[in-house]
Amino acid sequence: MTVKLAALAAAALAVLPVRAAAASTPSDKLLREHLWREVRRMPAAERPKVGLVLSAGAVRGLAHIGVIRVLEDAGFPIDVVAGTSMGAVIGALYAGGLDKDGLWDFGSTLRIDSGNNMSKVRLLQLILADKLLSSANTEKRLRAVIGDVRFDQLRKAFACVAMDIRTGEKIIFRDGPVAPAVRASMNLPGIFQPVLYRHRYLVDGGVVDYVPVDVAKLLGAEWVLASVTEGDFSRTSPTNVLMTLEQVIDIRGSLLSRQQRKVADIVIEPEVGGYEFYQVEKSGEVMGKGVEAAKKRVEEAKESLILFSLPRLMRRWSAP
Amino acid sequence: MMLRRRAAVLALAVGLTWGCAGTRWAPRSAVSLAQEESWLEAGEYLKVLESLPLQRIDRIPRRLRTRAYTLLGRSQERLGRYDQALLTLQFAEGLFPKNLEILCDLAGILHRVGLDDRARPYYLRALKIHPNNAVSNVGVAEIYQKQGLLAKAQLHFEKAMLEEGWGRDAGLLRSYSEVLAERGDLAGAMKAIHSAMATRSTAEDRIVLARIQRRLGAGEDGYGQLDLAVVEAPERQDFRLQKSLWLLEDGRDEEALAVVAPVLAQDPSDGVGLWVRGSVFLRRGDIARARADFAAGAESHRDLFAAAVCRSMLEQLTSRP
């Protein structure tokens, strides 16, 4: 009997937060659909410049692919993309013209050594002899997908962030060849050799700008949607050097991103905090989390962009 | 000697079992849930609740217990006592974790109250037990549809439709049509909605058909279906508003004004209706009347999107010289 009472109490606790989900009225939905079509019909030069910001987050960052999928399906007119680390990789591919299915394939086929020269021997060398790995394969992989392109050849304006490890400066790449810049942006310090590029020693931009909303604004974005894939460091206890390092980067990134989040008009946060940075075998799951999170907020994002665009829409409507 | 001892032990065991059963339960044939079943069917849910408190379910024969929990849960849900229904079914699920009916009912309530993230695992567990279970396939498909996982939604709708009778379910066919339309398969969507309408045509079906027709460029056919929907469901003001918005989009401002007039006559504070009328005035250059409509729209149901739009437009007009 006691056991049953305990079970009842547990069940009661489990259902406490039950309430019907808030929903807009059918008429409200119609108005949103109508105004959304109006926003999409505006010539690019007239409507607000829309920015998409993709945060750092290693494998967790693959959730950006799911977010992009939902935004594409909804018809978001994305003009500029800014990314850091994995966000830079996904952003470069997207800005380079890879469609939602191509991105999904890219995420699904990713392996732990896709962008580097990782092997058991090299991992041992890293741990025992401090010999850092190389992330040169990131460049190769990018070139294989979008070609050896420069920033100005991409279909959408794009920028990514890295850090100069000798000066601590945030380096924003927005011109020149794309591949080395993206490689530098996702070059985890302590694991990969710093990339020597343009007379600088570059490491992962997540250390200085985890959610580069400011970079999207620099590219001219007026309305910004940020996809943030932070780790839930409160739930994990690092058990080795690499995990500890990654966690430190995540914590610092998370603290730094507080201000950036406030500047974004909409923040989408896929529930990927529990995934470790190396769990590429869970890429499908992670991308699915991106879809789920984006779907939950996509209507709100539409409303936000509509309200932002209203002054310009009104000019169109009241024009003689 | 040995044989006699065994017979005595057996007789004792049988006697004890019979005795215990006699003290706990009524004779097997006397226990039935027919009365509760009929109450549920007749909508007398309170009687089911009175007849089946959890303590009593605990004492009825095991073969009837799962059904008893289901009857109780369903009655509680239909009385709007969602928390109690969930409590009952979660408790039952703990006792009978592989019972399809309990899993489906539990998932169903969670789904209906909007807790889709919690409903989905139960539906998926039911599908592991019975992959063709139509209720679970439809439930999980609806959740996937809501969450934007359209390929998965389509797959589960199609699985459900393979089950006897479900392929002709008009509601299912309409949802399936919406998924196909969202995925850009307008021909498939059209076929599905026509199948739905072949069995039972509702105003909702006509709206889905009208949207597909409009996307296919058959705008006038779309308007035709909308008109029929308005006739079939005159109480649905959102159908009229849909038409007025399409007319506005097509630049047929005067017609939009005419369509929205009865909506505002019935409810002068309808936010979308006020917005449509204000927008027509704005296009005409009649700023004073546009401002009045946006001001009224901004004040009605302030938490709705229509009010936010009216507020924003009013601010713009007010800040103009």
Side-chain angles (χ1 to χ4, degrees), chain B residues 184-203:
Chain B
D185 178 5
L186 295 179
M190 184 72 103
K191 198 175 155 195
I193 197 64
H194 276 310
S195 303
M197 293 171 81
T199 49
R200 178 214 62 181
S201 163
T202 65

Side-chain angles (χ1 to χ4, degrees), chain A residues 4 14 28 37 292 296, chain B residues 58 117-118 120 249 305:
Chain A
K4 282 192 179 170
D28 239 19
R37 282 193 296 274
E292 280 177 32
K296 277 180 190 163
Chain B
D58 192 32
D117 287 340
R118 286 172 61 184
R120 193 169 69 178
E249 199 172 314
F305 178 59

Side-chain angles (χ1 to χ4, degrees), chain A residues 3 16 28 38 42 57 60 77 84 93 113 143 165 168 177-178 235 245 254-256 259 271 290-291 298 300 303 317:
Chain A
V3 175
L16 272 180
D28 239 19
E38 293 284 323
M42 286 172 91
R60 293 191 305 272
T84 299
L93 294 171
D113 58 353
R143 287 197 182 102
I165 202 162
V178 173
R235 281 201 327 198
L245 197 61
S254 163
L255 292 173
L256 283 172
Q259 192 53 39
E271 288 179 25
V291 172
V298 71
E300 191 189 338
E303 289 183 1
W317 293 332

Side-chain angles (χ1 to χ4, degrees), chain A residues 220-241:
Chain A
E222 295 164 278
W223 183 91
V224 173
L225 183 148
S227 172
V228 180
T229 54
E230 278 179 17
D232 183 357
F233 39 80
S234 64
R235 281 201 327 198
T236 51
S237 308
T239 50
N240 59 46
V241 177

